[in-house]
């Protein structure tokens, strides 16, 4: 059946999603219109197409056991010089995103992808553009702020045209969230660039 490239992420809702996507395009990032504004849970991952049913079932199970949590974006950060990325910082909801992505990538599950660097939740607003344009993105969004209630996540597939398209949404359940045995906070460092896929 061949392979597909999948990603799992939390969409930034309207009006913020379109605002940030438009700003990203305005900074000169040509990929902006093919990438819905998001917080990554699982970066682009190539899998065999016949694994999709198992992945969908796993994601539904993870979502059903999680519950809504507040998210807030505020200010900017960068992974430079390690990686040419400027992002809007996630100042509320990062621990929840970290726990959630850990459950999605459960080593016993079908999305057991290893990350090269520590997970670092954020929203990319510039990637791989000129230093001057990235400086402008960093400065112009320094006072940006947005908040919302995260109520689920979604599975996306990247087409041959490079555009990411939503396959299915996974709303959270309403039951209590099991307390994790241990959790590590996301470090706000350049090493988090591994999770940056935009």
């Amino acid at each position: 059946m061949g392979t597909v490239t999948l990603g799992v992420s939390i969409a930034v809702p309207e009006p913020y999603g379109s605002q940030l996507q438009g700003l990203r395009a305005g900074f000169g990032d040509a990929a902006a219109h093919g990438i819905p504004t998001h917080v990554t849970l699982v970066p682009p991952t190539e899998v065999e197409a016949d694994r999709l049913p198992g992945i969908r079932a796993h994601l539904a199970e993870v979502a059903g056991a999680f519950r809504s949590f507040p998210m807030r974006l505020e200010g900017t950060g960068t992974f430079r010089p390690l990686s040419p990325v400027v992002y809007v910082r996630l100042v509320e909801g990062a621990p929840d995103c970290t726990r959630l992505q850990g459950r999605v990538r459960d080593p016993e599950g079908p999305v057991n992808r290893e990350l090269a660097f520590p997970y670092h939740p954020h929203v990319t607003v510039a990637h791989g553009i000129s230093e001057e344009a990235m400086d402008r993105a960093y400065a112009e969004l320094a006072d940006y702020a947005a908040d919302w209630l995260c109520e689920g996540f979604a599975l996306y597939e990247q087409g041959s045209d490079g555009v990411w398209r939503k396959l299915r949404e996974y709303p959270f359940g309403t039951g209590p969230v099991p307390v994790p045995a241990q959790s590590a906070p996301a470090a706000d460092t350049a090493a988090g660039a591994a999770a940056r896929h935009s």
Side-chain angles (χ1 to χ4, degrees):
M1 292 181 65
T3 62
V4 292
T5 300
L6 304 177
V8 182
S9 64
I10 295 170
V12 175
E14 297 303 333
Y16 314 121
S18 292
Q19 287 173 356
L20 290 172
Q21 190 176 40
L23 288 165
R24 181 172 177 173
F27 296 135
D29 191 330
H33 291 301
I35 306 171
T37 308
H38 67 281
V39 174
T40 298
L41 295 175
V42 177
T45 302
E46 188 173 308
V47 302
E48 295 294 328
D50 60 7
R51 290 174 54 194
L52 263 172
I55 290 171
R56 290 176 185 267
H58 171 67
L59 295 179
E61 182 178 353
V62 170
F66 221 81
R67 65 182 173 196
S68 302
F69 59 91
M71 295 183 71
R72 179 171 175 81
L73 301 176
E74 188 175 295
T76 47
T78 183
F79 293 133
R80 294 182 292 174
L82 183 62
S83 181
V85 171
V86 171
Y87 59 87
V88 176
R89 297 170 58 240
L90 184 63
V91 298
E92 184 175 8
D96 296 280
C97 289
T98 300
R99 285 192 293 272
L100 180 58
Q101 65 86 32
R103 293 177 190 179
V104 171
R105 294 190 305 105
D106 183 343
E108 303 301 319
V111 196
N112 58 344
R113 168 177 174 151
E114 291 293 326
L115 300 180
F117 296 94
Y119 176 72
H120 182 275
H122 65 280
V123 175
T124 297
V125 290
H127 181 201
I129 57 179
S130 71
E131 289 294 323
E132 294 79 10
M134 284 193 287
D135 288 343
R136 185 161 66 90
Y138 188 91
E140 290 188 10
L141 289 171
D143 295 325
Y144 187 85
D147 55 80
W148 69 94
L149 184 67
C150 177
E151 298 181 298
F153 58 85
L155 175 66
Y156 292 81
E157 180 180 350
Q158 186 179 39
S160 58
D161 56 1
V163 175
W164 287 92
R165 296 176 177 86
K166 186 186 299 182
L167 295 181
R168 182 177 169 186
E169 293 183 354
Y170 295 88
F172 293 143
T174 57
V177 180
V179 177
Q182 61 180 8
S183 60
D188 192 8
T189 66
R196 78 195 184 295
H197 287 283
S198 31

